[in-house]
Amino acid sequence: MTDTVLPVGGEQTVPGARLSPRDEGRLHYASAAFFLADEALQQIPIAPDPAPGDLLRAALRLAEFADRAVTSAAIAERERGTTWDQIGAAAGTTRQAAHERWHGDVRAWAATGRSDLPAHSPKDSMENAALLDRYYARLFPEQTTAVSSGLDAVRFPGSREYEGSLRARGAALNARLTVLKDQLQELGNAYRLLKETGDHGALANNLTTTADHSQEIASVFRQLAAAEPSLAEEHLHEAQKYEGWAESNGDHAKLYA
């Protein structure tokens, strides 16, 4: 067994390597479409005497897969630079409504590595594309690289190394966020216990530290806005939220001082 794989396009990569977030967003949507199509095909055979409600339950399950595809499409649109105004227009709604509906999904996608594959999967992203290629080719034999041929990693050889360097910065910042958020949660737990003691000095120190942590989290989000420009709006939104919490906790701490 070799240590490398040769994906579509002839570019050798280390197993577990990811593509650009733009490409990963496309794969995320293609994968969602694959599962939707597979689920729909399974429902085509007509059972002679299904149990009451089985057909409706199957259709509702199909609707769940369709909803996942819609969410994946919104994520892919953000990764390719589509604005929230444009997403709202495409969805037949307002910018604000679109942001409220999918902002959390986009943030979750960013926080977990911006990849269609799990963070620690040994599988290479181009292998995932090749699997989707083979599935599509079963239905349309004349199109053997329907998925992979549309990826930047194939269309622009060498782009993957550049994207890898950008990913490293984003990954380091997101790892820092995880640590800071865990610490912030611990401070919140400690605050609830301290309130029962009525120790004003300890409460003031806790709130001051909480304010400092919130401000540091906001700073990391602002750095992420520069490191991950396609999601800058999401990161800046989070930065402003934590800055507001930092100010609120700082003011609260003064009440106990």
Side-chain angles (χ1 to χ4, degrees):
M1 180 178 293
T2 62
D3 291 332
T4 59
V5 293
L6 188 62
V8 177
E11 181 184 1
Q12 286 208 349
T13 56
V14 177
R18 302 294 176 253
L19 302 176
S20 69
R22 176 183 168 100
D23 276 353
E24 291 287 348
R26 291 169 172 172
L27 285 177
H28 188 52
Y29 176 58
S31 294
F34 160 76
F35 287 115
L36 173 60
D38 187 63
E39 182 67 21
L41 287 171
Q42 291 183 46
Q43 295 186 27
I44 289 177
I46 302 298
D49 190 20
D54 274 2
L55 299 180
L56 180 57
R57 278 188 286 270
L60 290 171
R61 177 173 168 79
L62 189 60
E64 290 178 7
F65 278 90
D67 190 58
R68 292 176 200 171
V70 170
T71 298
S72 297
I75 291 170
E77 289 287 3
R78 284 298 294 138
E79 288 289 18
R80 63 192 294 260
T82 306
T83 67
W84 283 109
D85 283 318
Q86 292 169 322
I87 290 174
T93 187
T94 64
R95 176 195 184 283
Q96 181 179 357
H99 186 269
E100 289 177 357
R101 179 174 178 182
W102 292 300
H103 166 74
D105 297 301
V106 174
R107 274 293 313 134
W109 159 265
T112 54
R114 304 171 82 191
S115 173
D116 185 47
L117 295 171
H120 301 294
S121 171
K123 186 178 173 184
D124 182 86
S125 291
M126 284 302 295
E127 290 182 89
N128 193 33
L131 286 173
L132 292 168
D133 279 340
R134 289 195 289 274
Y135 170 81
Y136 195 79
R138 293 208 311 265
L139 301 175
F140 304 96
E142 71 281 2
Q143 299 188 47
T144 58
T145 59
V147 176
S148 58
S149 61
L151 300 176
D152 293 342
V154 173
R155 296 167 61 228
F156 308 111
S159 65
R160 192 168 185 179
E161 287 75 11
Y162 170 71
E163 291 291 347
S165 66
L166 295 181
R167 267 188 174 279
R169 175 63 174 158
L173 289 169
N174 275 297
R176 179 61 179 155
L177 272 180
T178 298
V179 173
L180 288 170
K181 287 182 176 181
D182 286 344
Q183 293 172 345
L184 194 63
Q185 184 173 0
E186 291 174 3
L187 286 165
N189 294 336
Y191 174 78
R192 284 185 285 274
L193 293 174
L194 287 170
K195 280 201 73 174
E196 297 178 3
T197 70
D199 186 337
H200 284 202
L203 283 166
N205 288 336
N206 175 280
L207 287 167
T208 299
T209 304
T210 298
D212 291 342
H213 269 69
S214 296
Q215 190 60 52
E216 187 172 357
I217 289 173
S219 175
V220 173
F221 272 118
R222 289 195 176 278
Q223 293 175 65
L224 271 172
E228 301 176 344
S230 65
L231 300 183
E233 187 173 351
E234 283 73 19
H235 296 320
L236 291 175
H237 180 273
E238 292 296 305
Q240 291 169 357
K241 180 176 72 176
Y242 278 95
E243 285 166 350
W245 288 347
E247 183 177 359
S248 176
N249 282 309
D251 290 342
H252 197 181
K254 294 175 184 177
L255 298 177
Y256 288 109

